[in-house]
Amino acid sequence: MRVGEAPGQAVDARDASGLVVYLVQNHRPPAQLARLVRALRQGSPGAFVLVVHDAHAGLAPTSAVADAVDAPVLETRERGRRGHFSLIAPYFDAVEWLASRGVDYDWLVYLSAQDYPARPLAELEARLLSEGADGYLRHWRAFSREVTGWHRHQGELRYRLQYRELTPAAAQIFGLFRFLNGWQRRVHLHRTYGARLGMRPRRSPWEPGFDCWAGTQWSALRRAAAEEVTARVRAGGPRIEWFRRTICPDEALVQTLLVAA
């Protein structure tokens, strides 16, 4: 690859060939989301907008979101937790949903409800539809020491170790030994997204010719690329299972499957 419902809601699965699908991930009340959807509609009247909403967060029911936006709303299967696989899982559900509803499109632009277009959407869509790249997403080698914006060894601590959830009691006990954090970069107590203990196995999926790549969660991918990533995630395997037990797989899984392939 070159990188450069609400239940019962009617869905317009018209031919959107040559057009863009805007996938918006949301977990909050619908006011800000509705503002973004209106902007997408105004900026690109022919685009298909799909919302994936996390009602499990407890901030807004799916029905309220569906009533507030002029778009189909797909409810997530589980609560999205920062730093966990559940935060990226709705993307793959959405790709399958689009295929199951017969929505034909060329590009899938992945947004959060906190995004807002800073430039005319016509400019974005013209670039996507005229250039030859298979996707646009930030990416860098996860284990590189030259990456700016990450603290030292962040990539290694996130993606070389395998993490397990700790109970509050276990977290308190392991907290007494936090001075061992980063010991030879083989043990790490991670608290940012819930207490988890990571250990570095003897074997990992990272090998010459298949590096770990990191970046940001949000992307614009050609349909073929989005469906390829989804198919590989659904097929599973050691590399996918490895990512399920890392920190922030949403910021490395798609990059790795596309760039390292």
Side-chain angles (χ1 to χ4, degrees), residues 108-246:
L108 180 61
V109 177
Y110 188 23
L111 305 170
S112 80
Q114 298 183 71
D115 291 320
Y116 197 80
R119 296 178 64 86
L121 293 181
E123 293 182 10
L124 166 67
E125 295 180 3
R127 179 175 181 178
L128 294 179
L129 298 173
S130 64
E131 297 189 359
D134 293 304
Y136 294 91
L137 70 169
R138 294 191 65 194
H139 61 286
W140 56 79
R141 294 184 186 275
F143 307 138
S144 172
R145 296 184 179 181
E146 300 176 359
V147 175
T148 60
W150 279 17
H151 65 68
R152 188 182 182 191
H153 307 313
Q154 182 168 335
E156 294 194 2
L157 293 177
R158 281 186 175 189
Y159 306 119
R160 285 200 190 277
L161 277 63
Q162 293 284 270
Y163 287 85
R164 294 183 180 276
E165 299 271 359
L166 295 178
T167 64
Q172 187 173 12
I173 293 172
F174 279 106
L176 298 175
F177 300 93
R178 200 171 183 183
F179 65 90
L180 292 174
N181 261 6
W183 174 70
Q184 295 183 346
R185 294 190 290 281
R186 293 184 176 277
V187 180
H188 187 72
L189 177 61
H190 201 286
R191 292 181 177 272
T192 306
Y193 308 113
R196 285 187 280 177
L197 182 66
M199 302 189 71
R200 184 170 175 175
R202 292 184 177 180
R203 295 184 178 181
S204 79
W206 317 126
E207 57 192 29
F210 196 92
D211 292 337
C212 181
W213 290 78
T216 57
Q217 180 176 353
W218 316 107
S219 63
L221 297 183
R222 197 177 289 276
R223 178 178 180 174
E227 291 184 342
E228 177 182 330
V229 167
T230 299
R232 294 178 67 178
V233 169
R234 295 303 191 223
R239 288 169 179 159
I240 303 303
E241 293 307 310
W242 181 277
F243 269 114
R244 290 184 184 276
R245 293 174 57 187
T246 60

